[in-house]
Amino acid sequence: MDGIINVNKPLGITSHDVVYRLRKILGIKKIGHTGTLDPDAEGVLPMCIGRGTKLAEELTAKEKQYLAELTLGITTDTQDISGTILDTKAVVSTKEEIENAIMSFVGEIDQIPPMFSAIKVDGKKLYELAREGKTIEMPPRRVEVFSIEILDIDTESKKARFLVDCSKGTYIRTLCHDIGKKLGCGGVMSALKRTRSGDFRIENAYTLDEISKMAEENDFSFMTGIDEVLAHYDKVILADRNATRMCNGITISVAGIENGKTFRAYNEQGKFLALCTMENGKVNVVRSFYGEAPK
């Protein structure tokens, strides 16, 4: 069983909990996620199954979209509403000032990763160090906010809701923290839903209960095939002799393919074999998907 499942992660569980649940449902150990979602966040969490785990790094690097809620006037140690409150201040900014502050973060920005994150320092995750009462001075990281669409600003409840399209590695709670800091009143992320990760969208995501029920009925249509995920690369059908030689680790030559081109290689029976590049007339296997599936 190989492919990608677009899981709609619920609130209250970790990304690793999703991995554990899927292992039980599908009876396969080789499962990995493509970007952690905190227990207080929900939404799109693409899960790589079997040989699909070879795509984990590529999928993790895709741009993301989030629906975020910012609550102003509060600062916490985790930069979200579940943390310990460090400070509270009155919110005196107008709706226009709040809007301008939010929109000022569109573009390339520097973020200092929060202490309560999974980034490792000397083999230890930052949140583990934070729980020990330690603070590490982290250098800023350059990320990009491609766009922000403000959906609502309520000065009475001191809340703002907006959609954010951003690059890998962008912390939305840090974005909320920095917006509050710019307004001088502090701010925290009070809700978060990932609505898109690369080409995987919330409207096409499956809940764990839906996946469990479908699997019991031997309906695995929730699985996206590996070659479907790589469909932006052209499809090339290899003659069976060449396909066999390539799968046996022998370098093959194929005419008519542009040098430097990346493509999906299939045999004559239509089986997807590998992602390849053409280098000086020779086929170079970038990532193979043939052979025995991992268990």
Side-chain angles (χ1 to χ4, degrees):
M1 186 178 295
D2 309 290
I4 310 297
I5 304 175
N6 184 12
V7 176
N8 187 351
K9 188 191 89 65
L11 291 170
I13 68 172
T14 67
S15 298
H16 188 267
D17 291 333
V18 177
V19 172
Y20 176 77
R21 286 278 303 276
L22 284 179
R23 283 175 177 162
K24 291 188 68 176
I25 292 169
L26 303 176
I28 184 170
K29 293 181 180 179
K30 194 72 172 178
I31 298 178
H33 61 75
T34 61
T36 302
L37 275 179
D38 294 334
D40 290 338
E42 60 183 324
V44 173
L45 183 64
M47 304 294 297
C48 299
I49 314 298
R51 286 189 288 255
T53 54
K54 294 186 178 184
L55 297 178
E57 186 175 345
E58 180 176 335
L59 294 178
T60 302
K62 298 290 186 181
E63 67 179 64
K64 314 289 193 298
Q65 184 186 76
Y66 297 92
L67 173 60
E69 181 184 79
L70 160 68
T71 298
L72 294 169
I74 304 171
T75 302
T76 69
D77 59 348
T78 59
Q79 300 181 347
D80 61 27
I81 200 68
S82 65
T84 300
I85 295 176
L86 302 176
D87 194 17
T88 59
K89 288 185 179 179
V91 181
V92 296
S93 302
T94 65
K95 187 174 182 179
E96 183 180 3
E97 288 170 338
I98 295 170
E99 181 178 342
N100 290 338
I102 293 171
M103 297 306 295
S104 71
F105 286 87
V106 175
E108 290 191 356
I109 60 173
D110 289 323
Q111 282 192 334
I112 297 176
M115 275 301 298
F116 284 87
S117 65
I119 295 173
K120 287 188 176 181
V121 175
D122 297 330
K124 266 201 162 182
K125 294 177 180 178
L126 282 182
Y127 70 76
E128 293 173 336
L129 295 171
R131 287 169 183 167
E132 294 173 4
K134 299 176 182 177
T135 301
I136 304 294
E137 291 294 328
M138 294 292 294
R141 293 185 172 191
R142 179 56 60 100
V143 296
E144 186 169 3
V145 175
F146 302 113
S147 67
I148 295 179
E149 179 187 351
I150 298 175
L151 303 177
D152 180 61
I153 296 175
D154 188 336
T155 52
E156 285 191 18
S157 65
K158 307 170 188 176
K159 296 181 185 295
R161 292 171 61 252
F162 49 89
L163 277 172
V164 184
D165 285 273
C166 57
S167 66
K168 168 196 173 184
T170 305
Y171 284 94
I172 304 303
R173 51 199 164 104
T174 299
L175 176 63
C176 291
H177 171 86
D178 291 345
I179 292 169
K181 185 177 180 180
K182 184 164 189 172
L183 289 166
C185 59
V188 295
M189 184 187 78
S190 45
L192 184 70
K193 177 185 285 188
R194 184 189 283 159
T195 51
R196 182 172 62 82
S197 179
D199 294 327
F200 294 97
R201 299 176 179 275
I202 190 70
E203 56 265 29
N204 305 122
Y206 293 87
T207 66
L208 289 168
D209 287 342
E210 288 172 336
I211 293 167
S212 180
K213 183 178 179 181
M214 292 171 73
E216 285 177 2
E217 299 169 352
N218 288 318
D219 177 5
F220 297 98
S221 58
F222 53 76
M223 186 90 69
T224 300
I226 294 170
D227 58 336
E228 291 181 67
V229 177
L230 298 171
H232 50 290
Y233 296 111
D234 287 345
K235 178 179 181 178
V236 173
I237 298 174
L238 303 176
D240 279 343
R241 181 173 180 274
N242 269 339
T244 299
R245 285 165 61 85
M246 182 185 74
C247 292
N248 286 331
I250 300 171
T251 301
I252 63 173
S253 300
V254 178
I257 301 177
E258 179 185 349
N259 191 47
K261 183 182 182 67
T262 301
F263 59 93
R264 293 173 293 152
Y266 293 75
N267 64 14
E268 289 181 327
Q269 287 70 47
K271 180 182 179 181
F272 176 54
L273 302 175
L275 185 67
C276 304
T277 58
M278 182 60 68
E279 298 179 2
N280 299 318
K282 307 290 185 182
V283 174
N284 175 51
V285 176
V286 177
R287 219 169 281 131
S288 64
F289 298 98
Y290 46 79
E292 291 296 318
K295 296 181 180 179

